[in-house]
Amino acid sequence: MSQENVDLVRLSIGAFNSGDWDASLEYMDEDIEWRAADAIPDQDSYFGRDGVRAFWTAWTDNFEAFRLEVEELIDAGDDVVVVARIRGQGIASGAEVRSNSFAQVARVRDRKIRRWEIYDSEQEALEAVGLRE
């Protein structure tokens, strides 16, 4: 089942990157909890698909071609660790923006993403799913 979870997360990210947010959200439970990392401005928890859409909107409104560049997907059973960067082009400045790598953990249950949590580092995400001490 865990490879299926990795594939599900990959499909959700792919739909997000293609601009089809509705398709991306279909991979998520209606009551998903989306939790931002402490290092992210306005960090908070967002609930439900509308909450996730609000988070995405806040982050993408100032960019063109905003996307999540996946570097690695790590199978952790019910959890999938996503190591990635964000990339985009500033609307006002036209400047190319590419973040440092960070990690996220998507928890999958019954073929739906139930929780998505953003971490400041891969180490923190791996510790959260019990893969590193």
Side-chain angles (χ1 to χ4, degrees):
M1 185 67 119
S2 52
Q3 182 58 46
E4 290 177 17
N5 293 343
V6 170
D7 293 341
L8 184 136
V9 170
R10 180 182 291 114
L11 290 168
S12 181
I13 293 169
F16 170 85
N17 282 339
S18 73
D20 191 350
W21 288 5
D22 289 335
S24 181
L25 291 166
E26 282 297 315
Y27 294 101
M28 298 179 192
D29 187 78
E30 290 181 15
D31 297 321
I32 185 170
E33 178 182 0
W34 187 280
R35 187 156 153 58
D38 292 337
I40 296 175
D42 300 323
Q43 53 97 22
D44 205 349
S45 288
Y46 299 81
F47 297 94
R49 292 176 180 169
D50 288 340
V52 173
R53 186 181 297 277
F55 177 83
W56 289 348
T57 299
W59 272 91
T60 61
D61 269 356
N62 295 312
F63 294 93
E64 289 194 36
F66 185 97
R67 62 184 291 108
L68 185 68
E69 292 184 336
V70 175
E71 297 176 349
E72 186 175 11
L73 294 172
I74 301 168
D75 177 359
D78 288 337
D79 297 319
V80 178
V81 178
V82 180
V83 181
R85 299 174 185 265
I86 56 174
R87 185 177 206 149
Q89 184 176 2
I91 290 174
S93 68
E96 182 75 20
V97 176
R98 188 168 185 229
S99 75
N100 292 326
S101 290
F102 62 97
Q104 305 168 75
V105 174
R107 172 152 296 154
V108 179
R109 296 269 195 280
D110 301 323
R111 302 271 316 136
K112 292 287 183 182
I113 301 166
R114 304 286 177 133
R115 180 179 168 100
W116 196 292
E117 190 159 2
I118 303 170
Y119 291 87
D120 296 326
S121 69
E122 181 178 352
Q123 176 75 21
E124 285 181 83
L126 291 172
E127 286 174 6
V129 299
L131 293 180
R132 294 247 169 96
E133 293 182 18

Coordinates of all heavy atoms in Angstrom, one line a residue, residues 13 16-17 40 59-60 63 65-73 81-89 96-104 116 118-122:
I13 N 0.6 16.4 -6.4 CA 1.6 17.5 -6.6 C 1.6 17.8 -8.1 O 1.7 19.0 -8.5 CB 3.0 17.1 -6.1 CG1 3.0 17.0 -4.6 CG2 4.1 18.1 -6.6 CD1 4.3 16.4 -4.0
F16 N -1.3 20.0 -8.9 CA -1.0 21.3 -8.4 C -0.1 22.1 -9.4 O -0.4 23.2 -9.8 CB -0.4 21.3 -7.0 CG 0.1 22.6 -6.5 CD1 -0.8 23.5 -5.9 CD2 1.4 23.0 -6.7 CE1 -0.4 24.7 -5.4 CE2 1.8 24.2 -6.3 CZ 1.0 25.1 -5.6
N17 N 1.0 21.5 -9.8 CA 2.0 22.1 -10.6 C 1.4 22.5 -12.0 O 1.8 23.4 -12.6 CB 3.2 21.3 -10.8 CG 4.1 21.4 -9.5 OD1 4.0 22.3 -8.8 ND2 5.0 20.4 -9.4
I40 N 7.8 29.6 8.2 CA 7.0 30.2 7.2 C 6.2 31.4 7.7 O 5.5 31.2 8.7 CB 6.1 29.2 6.5 CG1 6.9 28.1 5.8 CG2 5.1 29.9 5.5 CD1 6.0 27.0 5.2
W59 N 0.3 31.9 -1.1 CA 1.6 31.7 -1.5 C 1.9 32.0 -3.0 O 2.9 32.3 -3.4 CB 2.1 30.3 -1.2 CG 2.7 30.3 0.2 CD1 2.0 30.1 1.4 CD2 4.0 30.7 0.6 NE1 2.8 30.3 2.4 CE2 4.0 30.6 2.0 CE3 5.1 31.0 -0.1 CZ2 5.2 30.9 2.7 CZ3 6.3 31.3 0.6 CH2 6.3 31.3 1.9
T60 N 0.9 31.8 -3.8 CA 1.1 31.8 -5.3 C 0.6 33.2 -5.9 O 1.0 33.4 -7.1 CB 0.3 30.7 -6.0 OG1 -1.1 30.8 -5.8 CG2 0.8 29.3 -5.5
F63 N 3.4 35.3 -7.7 CA 4.3 34.6 -8.6 C 3.6 34.1 -9.9 O 2.4 33.8 -9.9 CB 4.8 33.3 -7.9 CG 5.7 33.6 -6.7 CD1 5.2 33.6 -5.5 CD2 7.1 33.8 -6.9 CE1 6.0 33.8 -4.4 CE2 7.9 34.1 -5.8 CZ 7.3 34.1 -4.5
A65 N 4.1 31.0 -12.7 CA 4.8 29.7 -12.8 C 5.2 29.2 -11.5 O 6.3 28.6 -11.4 CB 5.9 29.8 -13.8
F66 N 4.4 29.4 -10.5 CA 4.8 28.9 -9.1 C 4.6 27.3 -9.2 O 3.6 26.8 -9.7 CB 3.8 29.4 -8.1 CG 4.1 29.0 -6.7 CD1 4.9 29.9 -5.9 CD2 3.7 27.8 -6.1 CE1 5.2 29.5 -4.5 CE2 4.0 27.5 -4.8 CZ 4.8 28.3 -4.0
R67 N 5.6 26.7 -8.7 CA 5.5 25.2 -8.7 C 6.4 24.6 -7.5 O 7.3 25.3 -7.0 CB 6.0 24.6 -10.0 CG 7.4 24.9 -10.4 CD 7.7 24.4 -11.8 NE 7.7 22.9 -11.9 CZ 6.8 22.2 -12.5 NH1 5.8 22.7 -13.1 NH2 6.9 20.9 -12.5
L68 N 6.1 23.4 -7.2 CA 6.8 22.6 -6.2 C 7.7 21.7 -7.0 O 7.2 20.8 -7.7 CB 5.8 21.9 -5.3 CG 6.5 21.1 -4.1 CD1 7.0 22.1 -3.1 CD2 5.4 20.2 -3.5
E69 N 9.0 21.8 -6.9 CA 10.0 21.0 -7.5 C 10.3 19.9 -6.6 O 11.1 20.1 -5.6 CB 11.2 21.8 -7.9 CG 11.0 22.8 -9.0 CD 12.2 23.4 -9.5 OE1 13.2 23.5 -8.7 OE2 12.2 23.9 -10.6
V70 N 9.9 18.7 -6.9 CA 10.1 17.5 -6.0 C 11.5 17.0 -6.3 O 11.9 16.7 -7.4 CB 9.1 16.4 -6.2 CG1 9.4 15.2 -5.4 CG2 7.7 16.9 -5.9
E71 N 12.3 16.9 -5.2 CA 13.6 16.3 -5.3 C 13.6 14.8 -4.9 O 14.4 14.0 -5.4 CB 14.6 17.1 -4.4 CG 14.8 18.5 -4.8 CD 15.6 19.3 -3.8 OE1 15.9 18.8 -2.7 OE2 16.0 20.4 -4.2
E72 N 12.7 14.5 -4.0 CA 12.6 13.1 -3.5 C 11.3 12.8 -2.8 O 10.8 13.7 -2.1 CB 13.8 12.8 -2.5 CG 13.9 11.4 -2.1 CD 15.2 11.2 -1.2 OE1 15.8 12.1 -0.8 OE2 15.5 10.0 -1.0
L73 N 10.8 11.6 -3.0 CA 9.6 11.1 -2.3 C 10.0 9.9 -1.6 O 10.6 9.0 -2.1 CB 8.5 10.8 -3.3 CG 7.9 11.9 -4.1 CD1 6.9 11.4 -5.1 CD2 7.1 12.9 -3.1
V81 N 7.3 11.3 2.8 CA 8.1 12.5 3.0 C 8.4 13.1 1.6 O 8.9 12.3 0.7 CB 9.4 12.2 3.7 CG1 10.3 13.4 3.9 CG2 9.1 11.6 5.1
V82 N 8.1 14.4 1.4 CA 8.4 15.0 0.2 C 9.5 16.0 0.4 O 9.4 17.0 1.2 CB 7.1 15.8 -0.3 CG1 7.4 16.5 -1.6 CG2 5.9 14.9 -0.4
V83 N 10.6 15.8 -0.2 CA 11.7 16.8 -0.2 C 11.6 17.6 -1.5 O 11.6 17.1 -2.6 CB 13.1 16.1 -0.1 CG1 14.2 17.1 0.0 CG2 13.1 15.2 1.1
A84 N 11.6 18.9 -1.3 CA 11.3 19.8 -2.5 C 11.8 21.2 -2.3 O 12.3 21.6 -1.2 CB 9.8 19.8 -2.7
R85 N 11.6 22.0 -3.3 CA 11.9 23.4 -3.4 C 10.7 24.0 -4.0 O 10.0 23.4 -4.8 CB 13.1 23.7 -4.2 CG 14.4 23.2 -3.8 CD 15.5 23.5 -4.8 NE 16.7 22.8 -4.5 CZ 17.7 23.4 -3.8 NH1 17.6 24.6 -3.4 NH2 18.8 22.7 -3.5
I86 N 10.5 25.3 -3.7 CA 9.5 26.0 -4.5 C 10.2 26.9 -5.5 O 11.3 27.4 -5.3 CB 8.5 26.9 -3.6 CG1 9.2 27.8 -2.7 CG2 7.6 25.9 -2.9 CD1 8.3 28.8 -2.0
R87 N 9.5 27.1 -6.6 CA 10.1 27.9 -7.7 C 9.0 28.7 -8.4 O 7.9 28.3 -8.5 CB 10.8 27.0 -8.7 CG 11.5 27.7 -9.8 CD 12.2 26.8 -10.8 NE 13.3 27.4 -11.3 CZ 14.4 26.9 -11.7 NH1 14.6 25.6 -11.6 NH2 15.4 27.6 -12.2
G88 N 9.4 29.9 -8.8 CA 8.5 30.8 -9.5 C 9.1 32.0 -9.9 O 10.3 32.2 -9.7
Q89 N 8.4 32.9 -10.6 CA 8.9 34.1 -11.1 C 8.0 35.2 -10.5 O 6.8 35.2 -10.6 CB 8.8 34.2 -12.6 CG 9.4 35.4 -13.2 CD 9.4 35.3 -14.7 OE1 8.9 34.4 -15.3 NE2 9.9 36.4 -15.3
E96 N 13.5 35.5 -10.9 CA 13.3 34.0 -10.6 C 13.6 33.8 -9.1 O 14.5 34.3 -8.6 CB 14.3 33.3 -11.5 CG 14.3 31.8 -11.3 CD 13.1 31.2 -12.1 OE1 12.5 31.8 -13.0 OE2 12.7 30.0 -11.7
V97 N 12.7 33.0 -8.5 CA 12.8 32.7 -7.1 C 12.9 31.2 -7.0 O 12.1 30.4 -7.6 CB 11.6 33.2 -6.3 CG1 11.6 32.8 -4.9 CG2 11.5 34.7 -6.4
R98 N 13.8 30.7 -6.2 CA 14.0 29.3 -5.9 C 14.4 29.1 -4.5 O 15.4 29.6 -4.1 CB 15.0 28.6 -6.9 CG 15.1 27.1 -6.8 CD 15.9 26.6 -7.9 NE 15.8 25.1 -7.9 CZ 16.9 24.3 -7.9 NH1 18.1 24.9 -8.1 NH2 16.8 23.0 -7.9
S99 N 13.6 28.4 -3.7 CA 13.8 28.3 -2.3 C 14.9 27.2 -2.0 O 15.3 26.4 -2.9 CB 12.6 27.8 -1.6 OG 12.3 26.5 -1.8
N100 N 15.4 27.2 -0.8 CA 16.2 26.1 -0.3 C 15.3 24.9 -0.2 O 14.1 25.0 -0.2 CB 16.8 26.4 1.0 CG 17.8 27.5 1.0 OD1 18.5 27.7 0.0 ND2 17.9 28.3 2.0
S101 N 15.9 23.7 -0.1 CA 15.2 22.5 0.1 C 14.5 22.5 1.4 O 15.0 23.0 2.4 CB 16.1 21.3 0.0 OG 16.5 21.1 -1.3
F102 N 13.3 21.9 1.5 CA 12.6 21.8 2.7 C 11.8 20.5 2.6 O 11.8 19.8 1.5 CB 11.7 22.9 3.0 CG 10.6 23.2 2.0 CD1 9.3 22.7 2.2 CD2 10.9 23.9 0.9 CE1 8.3 22.9 1.3 CE2 9.9 24.1 -0.1 CZ 8.6 23.6 0.1
A103 N 11.2 20.0 3.6 CA 10.4 18.8 3.6 C 9.0 18.9 4.1 O 8.7 19.8 4.8 CB 11.2 17.7 4.4
Q104 N 8.2 18.0 3.6 CA 6.8 17.9 4.0 C 6.5 16.5 4.2 O 7.1 15.6 3.7 CB 5.9 18.4 2.8 CG 6.3 19.8 2.4 CD 5.7 20.2 1.1 OE1 4.5 20.5 1.0 NE2 6.4 20.2 0.0
W116 N -1.2 17.2 5.9 CA 0.0 17.6 5.2 C 0.8 18.6 6.1 O 0.2 19.6 6.5 CB -0.4 18.3 3.9 CG 0.8 18.4 2.9 CD1 1.9 19.2 3.0 CD2 0.9 17.7 1.6 NE1 2.7 19.1 1.9 CE2 2.1 18.2 1.0 CE3 0.1 16.8 1.0 CZ2 2.5 17.7 -0.2 CZ3 0.5 16.3 -0.3 CH2 1.7 16.8 -0.8
I118 N 4.4 20.8 6.8 CA 5.6 21.3 6.2 C 6.6 21.5 7.3 O 6.3 22.0 8.4 CB 5.3 22.7 5.5 CG1 4.2 22.5 4.5 CG2 6.6 23.3 4.9 CD1 3.7 23.9 3.9
Y119 N 7.8 21.0 7.1 CA 8.9 21.1 8.0 C 10.0 22.0 7.5 O 10.2 22.1 6.3 CB 9.5 19.7 8.3 CG 8.5 18.9 9.1 CD1 7.5 18.1 8.4 CD2 8.5 18.8 10.5 CE1 6.6 17.3 9.1 CE2 7.6 18.1 11.2 CZ 6.7 17.3 10.5 OH 5.8 16.6 11.2
D120 N 10.9 22.5 8.4 CA 12.0 23.4 8.0 C 13.1 22.6 7.3 O 13.9 23.1 6.5 CB 12.5 24.1 9.2 CG 11.5 25.1 9.8 OD1 10.7 25.6 9.0 OD2 11.5 25.3 11.0
S121 N 13.2 21.3 7.6 CA 14.3 20.5 7.1 C 13.9 19.0 6.9 O 12.9 18.6 7.5 CB 15.5 20.5 8.0 OG 15.2 19.8 9.2
E122 N 14.6 18.4 6.0 CA 14.4 16.9 5.8 C 14.6 16.2 7.1 O 13.8 15.2 7.4 CB 15.3 16.4 4.7 CG 15.2 15.0 4.4 CD 16.1 14.5 3.3 OE1 16.8 15.3 2.6 OE2 16.1 13.3 3.0

